[in-house]
């Protein structure tokens, strides 16, 4: 009986965190759509006024970047809903984590290309201390680390799904 009460208590403790995460993702979801709308309006206005092609390409790239971020937020919201429903080890979550991982790796590659274009080989300087001060460029590696982490989570959730299915079939 004590074990059952401990499980029930853990659910009560976990729910406020899940609600907070859901609210946070909801805020990012709404802000993302607002930013996307503003970027599309800006791109349309620039196209109408025949601004430079460089600005138009940069805006299109930024719109694509925000759309990928919205896709990642959508996948995180769907994963969170399965966690709230106490059914996290479904195969859909494996696919969601994989899509988050690949999307993040693509964003990392695009950001790396952008940094290489603007900064050249200085992009790979991790820590630079000179007369101007100390500068770092570690953020170049972060999307790659997050992408690898998401792909690792996909494999962990795949294993969890397989164990869950095996246990479900044996009972």
């Amino acid at each position: 009986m004590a074990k059952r009460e401990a499980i029930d208590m853990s659910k009560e403790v976990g729910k406020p965190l899940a609600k907070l995460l859901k609210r946070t993702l909801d805020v990012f979801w709404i802000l993302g759509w607002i930013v996307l709308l503003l970027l599309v309006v800006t791109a349309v206005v620039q196209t109408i006024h025949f601004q430079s092609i460089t600005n138009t390409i940069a805006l299109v790239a930024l719109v694509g970047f925000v759309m990928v971020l919205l896709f990642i937020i959508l996948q995180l919201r769907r994963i969170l809903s399965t966690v709230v429903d106490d059914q996290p080890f479904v195969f859909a979550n494996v696919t969601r984590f994989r899509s988050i991982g690949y999307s993040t790796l693509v964003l990392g590659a695009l950001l790396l290309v952008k940094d290489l274009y603007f900064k050249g080989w200085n992009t790979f300087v991790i820590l630079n201390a000179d007369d101007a001060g100390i500068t770092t460029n570690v953020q170049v590696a972060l999307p790659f680390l997050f992408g690898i982490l998401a792909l690792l989570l996909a494999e962990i959730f795949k294993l969890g799904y397989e164990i869950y299915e095996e246990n479900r079939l044996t009972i």
Side-chain angles (χ1 to χ4, degrees), residues 4 11-12 15 27 36 39 60 85 101 107 117 120 142 146 152 159 165:
R4 184 165 180 83
K11 285 184 181 180
E12 292 300 317
K15 295 296 179 179
V27 168
L36 184 63
L39 286 173
V60 168
D85 294 338
L107 286 179
Y117 179 76
L142 290 179
F146 290 142
L152 178 66
L159 180 63
E165 284 297 310

Side-chain angles (χ1 to χ4, degrees), residues 125-145:
V125 174
I126 301 297
L127 184 65
N128 185 25
D130 57 11
D131 294 337
I134 298 174
T135 57
T136 183
N137 201 18
V138 178
Q139 72 273 8
V140 171
L142 290 179
F144 296 107
L145 293 175

Side-chain angles (χ1 to χ4, degrees), residues 13 28 31 46-47 55 60 64 67 79 86 97 105 109 111 151 163 165 167:
V13 171
F28 283 130
L31 288 175
Q46 273 202 351
T47 304
N55 287 344
V60 168
M67 288 176 68
I79 292 168
D86 293 328
F97 273 117
L105 289 174
L111 290 172
L151 292 173
I163 292 171
E165 284 297 310
N167 284 337

Side-chain angles (χ1 to χ4, degrees), residues 36 49 60 63 70 76 78 82 90 93-94 106 126 151-152 166:
L36 184 63
H49 293 299
V60 168
V63 166
L70 281 171
L76 288 172
R78 289 178 176 169
T82 63
V90 294
N93 281 350
V94 175
V106 167
I126 301 297
L151 292 173
L152 178 66
E166 185 177 305

Side-chain angles (χ1 to χ4, degrees), residues 102-126:
Y102 291 131
S103 300
T104 307
L105 289 174
V106 167
L107 286 179
L110 292 175
L111 290 172
L112 180 63
V113 167
K114 177 200 64 99
D115 278 356
L116 283 172
Y117 179 76
F118 287 111
K119 297 178 184 176
W121 293 110
N122 289 335
T123 299
F124 299 111
V125 174
I126 301 297

